Amino acid sequence: MALSETIKAGPAAGKLDHIPGHMGLPIFGNTFEFIKDPFAFHQWQRERYGPIYKVSIFGGQTVVLRGADALEYVLMDRDKNFGSREGWRLLQQLFPNGLMLRDFDDHRSHRRIMQVAFKPKPMQDYMLRLNEGIASNLTAWAPSQRFEFYPAIKNLTLELGASVFLGLEMGDEAAQLNQAFVDEVAASIAVIRKPWPGTKMRRGVKARAFLLEYFRDMIPARRDGDGDDMFSQFCQAKSEDGAFFSDDEIVDHLNFLLMAAHDTTTSALTTMIWALARYPEWQDAVRGEVMALGTEQLDYDAMDRLELTERVFKEALRFRPPVPFLPRFARRPFEFGGYEIPGETSISVSPGLVAMSETIWTDPTRFDPDRFSDNRAEDRRHRFGWSPFGGGAHKCIGMHFAIMQVRAFVHQFVQHYRVALPEGYQPRWQTIPIPKPKDGLPVILSKL
Ligand code: HEM
């Protein structure tokens, strides 16, 4: 049967009877259990049903494939079977044409154009903007016995994003832009999927319209100018046959890119600072290697010399990955782990669950950056053991940018401040859609 016929043949409902799993409540399925604690939910399923099971989340049945082999098989997708657009269906209303919601040839041609903005020369320009933005924002932080780190870093990453991505100084519109991103992300996991009045989805859809219009107004100046921000790069980049992105493509790409960059990096930096506060010996080690570089701001060429910082950051991403679950949509039937899985089935693979796997990591629940040292190299036990940035065709396009931003921030932060946790502090995290501390992560911030 041709692929187009298979796709029209209707959903996979009823075809998953041979896959084990507990589908929860009528209508809502396992959604509430999953939102409450995704890791505990999956552990429960794994213990009962093994490494392959079905769940029902956000109104759709999904087959979960556990383990690093499954991650590799699905993400490398040698048979072009696993669509990302249909997989990320929760994002379709809000980010319909973002890079991650494109597939195969169309995805490849858009990605190739966007890559221009991530080459070494533009990256060096972004580094200057990052360093400048971090320096001016950090000096305004007020040391306190109860400094809420999460809102402060979210505000900082928004300012950096405005500068690097849009070429803007953030002014009065900062709060409105921030709220629009918050509303878009919150809508992505809204239980009510229709934009009815008063719903999260309605706020998300309105936020999208606001942001698209905001970006669209800036296109003419970016097309004519010679700015070194990402927005300008997208306006001027051409495909192999000389075509520019259309205005619609530009605003959609920017909207998705900012969302993909903002909350993920904020989340990663929050876990990183929690780790430095929780493990003062690592904070001292990181500060030591930063001081040894002897520069106020991090040079682009010196980035790779922050080896211990890198270890802590890798462990922070393993410990609390910003994107723990990756959905895909199987277009055709396939076989994996002894099961025949029918076509038109939603699939979920998980870098977050693999990051806690005892078959790959030694004592995985322990925060232990040295597992990434050359002599232990636990991350090299499987190609997909450590994959917080995904892998294959959709591997995070902003990975190097994110790593650069985190290094630039930590480099300045530890030179100015010491950070500690209040006595007996236990963080409470919201895991999805992107992990964040429910209490804003109150830390003791003191000047060095
Ligand atoms: C610590 C920070 C970040 C993490 C953990 C992260 C994680 C990820 C992951 C796991 C994917 C793959 C999703 C999939 O396969 O379904 C992804 C894709 C993507 N990320 Fe990131 N990301 C981060 C930062 C960024 C930044 C800073 C940018 C932009 C500068 C960015 C832009 C994107 C884009 C555009 C995609 C889609 C790529 C494609 O479909 O080809 N991300 N990210």
Side-chain angles (χ1 to χ4, degrees):
M1 193 191 282
L3 181 62
S4 55
E5 289 168 43
T6 320
I7 282 174
K8 283 184 203 135
K15 291 196 234 162
L16 299 181
D17 289 350
H18 60 297
I19 313 272
H22 161 72
M23 308 286 265
L25 300 169
I27 302 175
F28 296 109
N30 311 103
T31 305
F32 296 117
E33 296 161 80
F34 174 73
I35 292 181
K36 192 169 161 226
D37 187 342
F39 283 84
F41 168 72
H42 278 292
Q43 191 175 338
W44 188 89
Q45 299 278 357
R46 169 79 176 83
E47 279 162 13
R48 267 152 202 80
Y49 304 114
I52 295 180
Y53 49 85
K54 63 187 171 197
V55 295
S56 167
I57 294 173
F58 298 115
Q61 297 186 0
T62 295
V63 175
V64 179
L65 306 178
R66 300 281 296 254
D69 286 347
L71 254 184
E72 178 164 7
Y73 174 72
V74 172
L75 297 187
M76 294 317 289
D77 193 18
R78 297 190 207 290
D79 300 326
K80 291 203 162 78
N81 188 21
F82 300 111
S84 178
R85 179 182 176 77
E86 293 301 322
W88 283 101
R89 66 190 163 82
L90 291 182
L91 297 183
Q92 274 180 15
Q93 272 186 79
L94 302 149
F95 305 96
N97 304 307
L99 186 60
M100 202 169 73
L101 285 94
R102 293 174 181 270
D103 277 313
F104 310 114
D105 290 348
D106 170 60
H107 167 260
R108 206 180 41 238
S109 73
H110 277 256
R111 183 160 169 130
R112 200 170 282 167
I113 302 177
M114 290 173 81
Q115 291 282 16
V116 172
F118 296 94
K119 294 206 155 143
K121 169 71 180 81
M123 290 285 274
Q124 285 168 23
D125 293 336
Y126 306 149
M127 184 67 159
L128 298 177
R129 284 178 180 267
L130 289 176
N131 270 330
E132 211 178 280
I134 292 166
S136 67
N137 193 296
L138 260 192
T139 47
W141 285 12
S144 148
Q145 287 298 102
R146 195 190 154 84
F147 180 88
E148 285 200 6
F149 184 79
Y150 183 77
I153 194 69
K154 195 161 163 67
N155 175 39
L156 171 54
T157 50
L158 185 72
E159 272 187 27
L160 297 177
S163 165
V164 173
F165 293 91
L166 305 177
L168 285 179
E169 288 299 318
M170 210 26 109
D172 298 341
E173 70 280 42
Q176 208 179 354
L177 278 181
N178 205 356
Q179 191 56 50
F181 284 120
V182 168
D183 288 346
E184 275 190 327
V185 172
S188 69
I189 57 155
V191 175
I192 300 171
R193 305 301 301 167
K194 297 268 180 227
W196 288 324
T199 58
K200 278 190 188 168
M201 186 53 82
R202 171 71 147 239
R203 284 195 290 281
V205 168
K206 280 173 84 171
R208 168 179 162 78
F210 162 76
L211 287 167
L212 260 45
E213 197 177 326
Y214 183 82
F215 300 144
R216 199 181 294 276
D217 287 347
M218 294 192 281
I219 291 181
R222 297 293 181 286
R223 283 212 195 272
D224 293 345
D226 59 355
D228 55 16
D229 54 275
M230 270 189 213
F231 194 168
S232 300
Q233 312 271 337
F234 290 165
C235 287
Q236 284 151 27
K238 287 187 211 164
S239 66
E240 276 165 356
D241 44 18
F244 290 101
F245 277 146
S246 69
D247 287 6
D248 284 344
E249 287 168 339
I250 288 173
V251 293
D252 264 322
H253 279 316
L254 264 182
N255 186 36
F256 178 74
L257 197 80
L258 276 162
M259 186 281 294
H262 183 44
D263 278 1
T264 48
T265 313
T266 305
S267 176
L269 274 164
T270 306
T271 305
M272 178 84 184
I273 294 304
W274 163 82
L276 296 182
R278 171 74 182 75
Y279 302 99
E281 64 282 15
W282 276 106
Q283 187 177 156
D284 291 343
V286 163
R287 185 171 292 111
E289 79 172 0
V290 163
M291 294 299 198
L293 285 185
T295 54
E296 251 176 62
Q297 298 185 358
L298 183 60
D299 289 335
Y300 185 80
D301 296 328
M303 270 197 300
D304 292 339
R305 288 162 57 196
L306 293 180
E307 213 183 293
L308 299 177
T309 311
E310 185 65 8
R311 253 183 238 177
V312 183
F313 184 48
K314 280 187 162 170
E315 179 67 341
L317 286 176
R318 184 193 69 84
F319 206 70
R320 195 163 289 116
V323 190
F325 302 99
L326 303 179
R328 290 292 187 268
F329 187 75
R331 309 192 303 161
R332 289 179 293 261
F334 67 100
E335 219 186 296
F336 190 85
Y339 286 96
E340 300 258 348
I341 305 198
E344 296 201 24
T345 301
S346 295
I347 303 294
S348 174
V349 286
S350 170
L353 295 172
V354 170
M356 284 292 153
S357 158
E358 286 180 352
T359 55
I360 299 202
W361 306 97
T362 306
D363 202 357
T365 54
R366 207 173 136 223
F367 189 89
D368 178 7
D370 278 337
R371 62 175 85 246
F372 292 96
S373 64
D374 278 344
N375 56 342
R376 284 177 58 191
E378 292 180 19
D379 53 323
R380 282 182 231 141
R381 290 177 182 166
H382 191 292
R383 188 178 169 202
F384 276 74
W386 186 83
S387 47
F389 293 100
H394 289 276
K395 184 167 184 176
C396 181
I397 200 173
M399 178 175 86
H400 295 295
F401 179 84
I403 294 172
M404 183 166 93
Q405 180 165 346
V406 169
R407 286 171 175 164
F409 173 79
V410 171
H411 178 270
Q412 292 196 41
F413 178 82
V414 296
Q415 291 189 76
H416 288 280
Y417 299 106
R418 189 174 291 284
V419 65
L421 294 179
E423 186 76 31
Y425 176 73
Q426 288 295 340
R428 286 181 308 117
W429 292 77
Q430 172 188 312
T431 310
I432 55 156
I434 293 176
K436 65 174 186 182
K438 288 183 180 166
D439 55 6
L441 187 63
V443 294
I444 302 167
L445 188 74
S446 45
K447 273 250 178 249
L448 199 66

